[in-house]
Amino acid sequence: MDEYHIKHTSWYQASVEAFSAKVAKKDLAGAQDPNTTSNPDMIVAARLRPILEDEVSAGLIRGVFSRPNNNGAVDIHQIRKHIKPLGPPTLTTTSVQLDKAYGPDDTSEQIYRDLVEPLVPWAWSGGVSTVFAYGQTGSGKTFTVSEIEQLVAKSLMSGGLEGERKVYACIIELAGNSSFDLLNSRKPISVLEDSFGVTQLAGALEHEITEAAALLELIEKAATFRRTASTFKNDASSRSHAICRIRIESPIPTAEDGLLYLIDLAGSEAARDIANHTPDRMKEAREINTSLSVLKDCIRGRATVDVASLTGKTKSPTYIPFRQSSLTKILKHVFDPVGRRSCKTVVLACVNPSLPDAGAGKNTLKYAEMLRVLLPKAKAQSYDPEMPATWDNERLKTWIDANSGNPAISGELVAPTETGSLLLRLPAPEFLARCLKSPGVDEDQARAFHAKFWRLHIDSQKSGGKKTESKSEAEPAKGKGRKTAINQEMLSSSVDPDAKANDVPFKERIRPGMVVRWSPPSTFPMGLPGLNMLVILCPQLAVGPTVRDLTGDLVNRSGFSSTRGTKYLCAMVLPGFMAESYELSMWRQVVVDVEQMEAEVLLEYDSGTRYYHITL
């Protein structure tokens, strides 16, 4: 510490004790709006490292304190000189409120149990989990991330997670505008965004992980290639961002893989810390601080969007600069307000609590506080059979059993404990995996049921949850009043207008407009891998003698009396550009025998996307 701080140490400590006694019973969280609560998908926490032995020997004292009971409040104390040379100093205190705050006595194991451990099964089930640590150089970021990586490796490979998955890992480094693969002798790679808006690490090698020791070995190997340098604050400071991406392969081939990101951001440096740097080191520090500044802008942009959505106030679109640095490209899923992946994020702001570094700690904590967006507390909603978010567990399971198709999907397997609102937050791969546990259920039926459940939720939000008089308020719709429901569905789906049609095998009730799944012969030029669907237009005999199909053959040829009435002219249903969407191609027509038809498929038209989707 400088001479001024040393001179006023006793006064400072007495002032801090007086402040602590004054606010001991206060809770910053209690001062916030009682109708708001923390966001469970974005947890922002602080870790105050201990004062090291050499710092104690140099006379350093603490300037940053977490309050008791881990209520997330942190106080930053600074000594301000009086404007007059001989005037008394002033204690300036800044308080921030985060979700959690861990002091010098809290261990990495405790932080892992509280914050990170729940993210592992989330990624295992197909979600996206992200942990990143940031702060000033020398604040303990790399140490914290290293400890967390070891605990994650043990959790992933302990065998305690349901099912079996293939696990892959890659570790990359972002240094300025360059990217490197730390597991491939630091060879350059590219951070690119594909046509679907997904960030790809082009050139980075993935390594399959079969045991915890293998992952830890890769992490140690990557550490040897990472760029470090001596700084004013740290003899081996990380001068780059390190990202460990763990990809967990989904057991469902068409489902998205789970992702777990462990990110150690480069340490930022204050102006006084870089005063003696060379020009190259000054440039390096500017690049680091610039990338962290872009990260800050993304944080602020996301917070602005979230606040606007929560308050219902319409504002002009907020620009979030994802593409201004490779770091924010990779972290796009954290900040993108329209992202479709189920994400959980932990932000760990690491702080050096010594008094000379209180200013840098204050900046770190203020940035963290900006990322913390409070959500309105959910008000108790009365049960509505048209709103899945209002269903308790029993009503949800009853609805699943009655509305999931044939064979029925077990509500007990899909939602053993979840309410309707909790099931809506479940990652899609996990939802599908639970559906497939029911005997006889295939992936197509599971996907169709998932889409049906979500469409019901979206429709209920659009309608404001208004009930119709024809619906019973005692239980979710179980298929009663089918004729009324059919009249509604016929406007946008291929459902049969006959309420008793399901009792008759589909081959005995072929009709124009029916959608069927079929198996094209190997010689058919437009067979698709996977699902092939057709819309039945009319019997083969009903067309004129000059009509040809897509192969150029005449549709109504002579000499087919032996198969009279068993062939139909059909139009192909082709995949759309969106996932799990389809479009009707009326000009691609083909004659199909009933024996080639496998099952009826129900399609529903979505006017918003102008595509068809499989329903039940």
Side-chain angles (χ1 to χ4, degrees):
M1 294 192 299
D2 59 29
E3 183 178 348
Y4 186 84
H5 285 85
I6 295 174
K7 179 181 178 180
H8 295 92
T9 295
S10 298
W11 169 87
Y12 167 78
Q13 291 176 330
S15 299
V16 169
E17 289 177 3
F19 175 88
S20 300
K22 182 179 179 181
V23 302
K25 297 182 179 180
K26 290 186 178 181
D27 182 358
L28 288 180
Q32 69 188 30
D33 187 346
N35 295 320
T36 61
T37 185
S38 298
N39 184 352
D41 295 332
M42 175 75 79
I43 298 177
V44 183
R47 184 181 197 183
L48 314 182
R49 71 162 174 81
I51 301 293
L52 305 180
E53 292 184 2
D54 58 335
E55 294 172 332
V56 173
S57 301
L60 297 187
I61 56 177
R62 289 182 62 184
V64 184
F65 299 82
S66 58
R67 295 190 187 176
N69 304 322
N70 196 6
N71 62 5
V74 182
D75 299 312
I76 306 103
H77 303 292
Q78 294 175 279
I79 298 178
R80 298 297 185 190
K81 294 182 180 180
H82 198 276
I83 57 175
K84 296 181 179 180
L86 300 179
T90 303
L91 180 68
T92 302
T93 300
T94 302
S95 299
V96 299
Q97 179 66 54
L98 307 179
D99 297 311
K100 295 282 187 179
Y102 297 90
D105 297 330
D106 294 315
T107 64
S108 298
E109 288 77 8
Q110 180 180 346
I111 295 174
Y112 177 78
R113 287 194 303 269
D114 291 350
L115 304 180
V116 183
E117 192 171 36
L119 271 60
V120 176
W122 184 262
W124 187 266
S125 63
V128 178
S129 299
T130 305
V131 180
F132 64 87
Y134 74 105
Q136 186 189 18
T137 180
S139 60
K141 301 180 309 301
T142 301
F143 173 82
T144 299
V145 173
S146 177
E147 294 275 296
I148 289 175
E149 286 172 338
Q150 295 179 36
L151 295 169
V152 166
K154 294 177 182 177
S155 295
L156 278 175
M157 300 301 165
S158 64
L161 298 170
E162 183 179 359
E164 295 184 359
R165 308 279 195 278
K166 288 187 177 181
V167 179
Y168 301 88
C170 68
I171 304 177
I172 67 169
E173 177 187 46
L174 305 179
N177 295 321
S178 302
S179 308
F180 305 93
D181 185 351
L182 294 180
L183 298 180
N184 190 20
S185 302
R186 208 169 178 270
K187 290 186 177 180
I189 65 171
S190 299
V191 179
L192 304 174
E193 190 173 337
D194 63 22
S195 58
F196 297 99
V198 179
T199 301
Q200 303 290 347
L201 306 179
L205 298 181
E206 281 192 324
H207 299 258
E208 184 173 358
I209 307 300
T210 57
E211 57 183 2
L215 178 56
L216 296 178
E217 183 179 345
L218 291 177
I219 292 172
E220 292 179 3
K221 177 182 177 181
T224 62
F225 286 99
R226 189 178 180 190
R227 181 192 295 182
T228 61
S230 175
T231 66
F232 178 80
K233 300 297 298 179
N234 194 347
D235 291 336
S237 175
S238 301
R239 309 313 302 148
S240 61
H241 309 306
I243 301 176
C244 174
R245 188 188 71 178
I246 299 173
R247 181 172 64 87
I248 303 168
E249 189 174 89
S250 173
I252 303 174
T254 57
E256 293 179 297
D257 296 334
L259 295 172
L260 175 59
Y261 289 92
L262 303 173
I263 303 173
D264 175 19
L265 300 175
S268 62
E269 293 186 279
R272 64 180 176 83
D273 297 333
I274 62 176
N276 298 322
H277 283 184
T278 64
D280 288 341
R281 290 294 304 282
M282 292 280 285
K283 179 182 178 182
E284 176 189 80
R286 283 196 302 270
E287 289 177 343
I288 292 173
N289 289 344
T290 297
S291 66
L292 294 177
S293 177
V294 174
L295 175 63
K296 176 197 66 178
D297 292 339
C298 291
I299 291 173
R300 286 177 171 172
R302 175 58 188 266
T304 301
V305 171
D306 285 346
V307 169
S309 64
L310 293 175
T311 58
K313 297 180 180 179
T314 57
K315 294 185 177 182
S316 57
T318 300
Y319 173 64
I320 301 179
F322 298 122
R323 298 175 180 85
Q324 289 190 8
S325 77
S326 297
L327 171 64
T328 47
K329 279 185 184 179
I330 296 174
L331 293 178
K332 177 183 176 181
H333 61 276
V334 179
F335 307 113
D336 190 355
V338 297
R340 60 188 178 87
R341 296 294 301 271
S342 299
C343 300
K344 286 184 178 291
T345 303
V346 169
V347 180
L348 196 56
C350 298
V351 176
N352 178 350
S354 65
L355 182 58
D357 289 283
K362 174 183 174 181
N363 291 336
T364 297
L365 293 170
K366 293 297 287 185
Y367 290 157
E369 189 178 39
M370 283 192 296
L371 185 57
R372 182 175 181 256
V373 178
L374 300 176
L375 302 178
K377 286 186 177 179
K379 297 180 180 179
Q381 291 181 303
S382 58
Y383 164 69
D384 187 331
E386 297 297 328
M387 296 184 68
T390 67
W391 299 351
D392 59 23
N393 178 254
E394 288 302 320
R395 287 186 169 115
L396 175 62
K397 289 190 289 189
T398 299
W399 183 87
I400 293 173
D401 292 337
N403 293 273
S404 54
N406 187 20
I409 296 174
S410 170
E412 184 64 37
L413 294 176
V414 174
T417 60
E418 288 84 358
T419 62
S421 60
L422 291 178
L423 190 62
L424 288 166
R425 294 181 57 201
L426 196 69
E430 176 66 13
F431 190 106
L432 299 179
R434 294 186 183 185
C435 291
L436 293 174
K437 292 179 181 179
S438 298
V441 175
D442 59 18
E443 187 178 337
D444 291 337
Q445 181 181 352
R447 286 189 173 279
F449 177 63
H450 180 256
K452 179 178 182 177
F453 181 62
W454 264 96
R455 280 198 297 273
L456 180 61
H457 169 64
I458 293 171
D459 290 344
S460 71
Q461 299 302 303
K462 290 180 179 178
S463 64
K466 296 180 181 179
K467 301 182 181 71
T468 59
E469 295 181 0
S470 62
K471 295 291 183 180
S472 168
E473 297 186 12
E475 294 294 334
K478 298 181 181 179
K480 294 183 179 180
R482 179 64 176 169
K483 189 169 184 178
T484 301
I486 285 178
N487 290 334
Q488 298 292 330
E489 294 173 8
M490 284 180 61
L491 299 176
S492 60
S493 75
S494 63
V495 66
D496 197 304
D498 185 354
K500 299 180 180 179
N502 290 336
D503 299 331
V504 181
F506 84 96
K507 291 184 179 181
E508 298 178 14
R509 52 181 174 86
I510 299 293
R511 59 181 175 83
M514 175 183 282
V515 182
V516 296
R517 185 176 73 235
W518 74 300
S519 296
S522 58
T523 56
F524 184 67
M526 293 194 64
L528 301 173
L531 182 63
N532 285 266
M533 292 187 292
L534 301 166
V535 174
I536 295 174
L537 301 179
C538 64
Q540 182 185 28
L541 294 175
V543 302
T546 61
V547 177
R548 296 178 181 272
D549 62 15
L550 62 84
T551 63
D553 295 333
L554 289 172
V555 172
N556 190 356
R557 294 177 296 174
S558 59
F560 53 83
S561 57
S562 61
T563 59
R564 185 178 184 86
T566 64
K567 292 187 177 182
Y568 292 84
L569 181 65
C570 306
M572 295 188 65
V573 177
L574 303 178
F577 286 103
M578 298 177 60
E580 301 176 28
S581 66
Y582 302 91
E583 56 185 355
L584 176 60
S585 183
M586 288 296 296
W587 58 90
R588 291 185 173 91
Q589 299 176 356
V590 61
V591 176
V592 177
D593 194 292
V594 172
E595 295 305 317
Q596 294 176 289
M597 302 177 186
E598 298 177 343
E600 181 182 12
V601 179
L602 297 183
L603 291 184
E604 184 173 357
Y605 182 71
D606 181 5
S607 59
T609 61
R610 298 184 180 180
Y611 282 119
Y612 291 90
H613 301 270
I614 296 177
T615 186
L616 293 171

